Amino acid sequence: MSGCMSAFGGMPPAELSKGLKQLKEEHLPLLEQLDGLFRLTKKIDQDESILTNFTNLSKKVKEFQKALDPHSEKEEGILFPMMGTYIGTTSGPIAVMEFEHDQAKLKIKTFLEKTNNNNHSPEEMKNLSALIQEAYFILTEHFAKEENVLFPMAERILSDEEKEKLYQRIQEVK
């Protein structure tokens, strides 16, 4: 189907360069962690061992944040500015991506700040776990937008030299 046009941007799907491919591949383990977080929030919603599941959720959210932060840094600190030289950063796709990053991070940060205190009623635990559900919905949609729109767009607009520079620079982020 090489003549098939993508629904986004009217271009055939692009084979991703190694830096963009790495960013896309980093989504899979993050999505797996997100799915686990979401399952825990559903158990809390359904009154299944709320305290045990909430304690586990808090621990897993901290682990997720440690995995998400370097990935976000690669996008926000390297990819988005590179693309921004072509398409701008104050409106359009980059602004949307940064807004979604900020929203998800805020939900996670708020959850973690409020869970430092272990004295929560079951209702409070449900309300706090809802923040993680919101982050889940933001990030699962966000990753799909990056994979289907942003990364193919970057593949088309960045030069081969810029793609190599992107790859080299994201290797430096730990």
Side-chain angles (χ1 to χ4, degrees):
M1 284 204 170
S2 62
C4 184
M5 298 303 258
S6 167
F8 302 104
M11 297 286 290
E15 168 113 12
L16 295 179
S17 57
K18 57 188 174 180
L20 292 166
K21 186 176 180 189
Q22 178 180 330
L23 291 173
K24 180 179 177 178
E25 289 170 352
E26 288 177 7
H27 286 171
L28 187 59
L30 292 170
L31 284 166
E32 288 171 357
Q33 283 183 285
L34 275 170
D35 285 342
L37 296 177
F38 188 73
R39 283 192 300 277
L40 284 171
T41 67
K42 296 311 279 178
K43 288 180 181 180
I44 293 165
D45 280 348
Q46 296 161 0
D47 295 321
E48 285 184 40
S49 307
I50 292 179
L51 183 57
T52 302
N53 283 315
F54 188 78
T55 302
N56 197 17
L57 179 64
S58 296
K59 180 178 150 255
K60 298 284 186 192
V61 169
K62 288 175 188 164
E63 292 169 7
F64 176 72
Q65 185 183 42
K66 284 182 184 162
L68 180 64
D69 285 348
H71 176 76
S72 295
E73 186 180 329
K74 292 171 188 174
E75 292 178 348
E76 294 169 8
I78 304 168
L79 176 63
F80 294 174
M82 288 177 92
M83 291 183 72
T85 62
Y86 295 97
I87 61 173
T89 58
T90 57
S91 65
I94 301 300
V96 171
M97 296 293 110
E98 287 183 333
F99 176 76
E100 291 173 354
H101 277 200
D102 292 345
Q103 290 300 300
K105 286 180 187 176
L106 180 61
K107 304 283 183 207
I108 293 167
K109 179 182 177 211
T110 302
F111 173 86
L112 290 172
E113 284 174 354
K114 293 191 176 191
T115 56
N116 278 338
N117 163 5
N118 287 336
N119 272 341
H120 297 293
S121 70
E123 199 56 41
E124 288 170 324
M125 288 186 247
K126 287 180 182 184
N127 291 337
L128 288 170
S129 75
L131 291 168
I132 300 307
Q133 286 183 3
E134 292 171 35
Y136 168 85
F137 290 120
I138 291 167
L139 288 171
T140 52
E141 261 186 53
H142 175 81
F143 290 164
K145 287 180 199 172
E146 286 181 340
E147 292 175 17
N148 294 310
V149 180
L150 195 74
F151 295 165
M153 180 187 292
E155 190 62 42
R156 289 191 296 271
I157 64 174
L158 298 177
S159 69
D160 289 342
E161 294 79 23
E162 288 168 318
K163 290 175 200 170
E164 185 57 35
K165 184 177 179 182
L166 169 70
Y167 177 74
Q168 295 301 326
R169 291 189 58 206
I170 65 175
Q171 301 316 303
E172 297 166 8
V173 177
K174 299 295 174 213

